[in-house]
Amino acid sequence: MPQLVTTLSRELGGELVEVACAPLGAARTALLTAPGVVEAAIFGDKLHVVLGQGGLTSETLPDFLQTHGVQTGQIRDVVPSLEDVFFRIVSRAQDARSAA
């Protein structure tokens, strides 16, 4: 199982954190422009955010979101699921089509 988690994390391209915040749409929009954010997706009533290197970290996320008018709650590391990886792969494909 640890090898699967490592493989899934590598496929995402960074650390996956779950962010409880509101409003979700404003948070996602702000995060997609933030340095180091690979992906931000709404998962139920929270965001799943992939943090790459050289940008925001789970420690700096709350301050960043608050400057964009977003209230934050709990932020925690999560183990990537197959759904997280699938969403990232689909997002990459859409980006590639848009660039073509």
Side-chain angles (χ1 to χ4, degrees):
M1 185 71 157
Q3 184 177 3
L4 176 60
V5 171
T6 301
T7 301
L8 293 175
S9 296
R10 187 175 36 245
E11 186 62 38
L12 284 177
E15 170 193 11
L16 179 63
V17 295
E18 182 180 75
V19 182
C21 58
L24 286 174
R28 182 178 181 276
T29 298
L31 286 169
L32 289 175
T33 66
V37 173
V38 176
E39 187 64 61
I42 297 173
F43 273 71
D45 62 347
K46 296 177 179 66
L47 288 178
H48 278 196
V49 182
V50 180
L51 301 172
Q53 295 181 8
L56 289 179
T57 65
S58 55
E59 291 81 22
T60 60
L61 257 173
D63 289 338
F64 175 83
L65 289 172
Q66 287 173 353
T67 64
H68 288 84
V70 176
Q71 302 264 332
T72 61
Q74 182 182 24
I75 297 174
R76 66 184 185 100
D77 292 338
V78 292
V79 175
S81 68
L82 289 175
E83 183 179 6
D84 290 308
V85 174
F86 176 77
F87 183 84
R88 182 67 191 129
I89 290 169
V90 169
S91 179
R92 280 187 202 150
Q94 289 172 340
D95 291 346
R97 269 189 246 130
S98 295

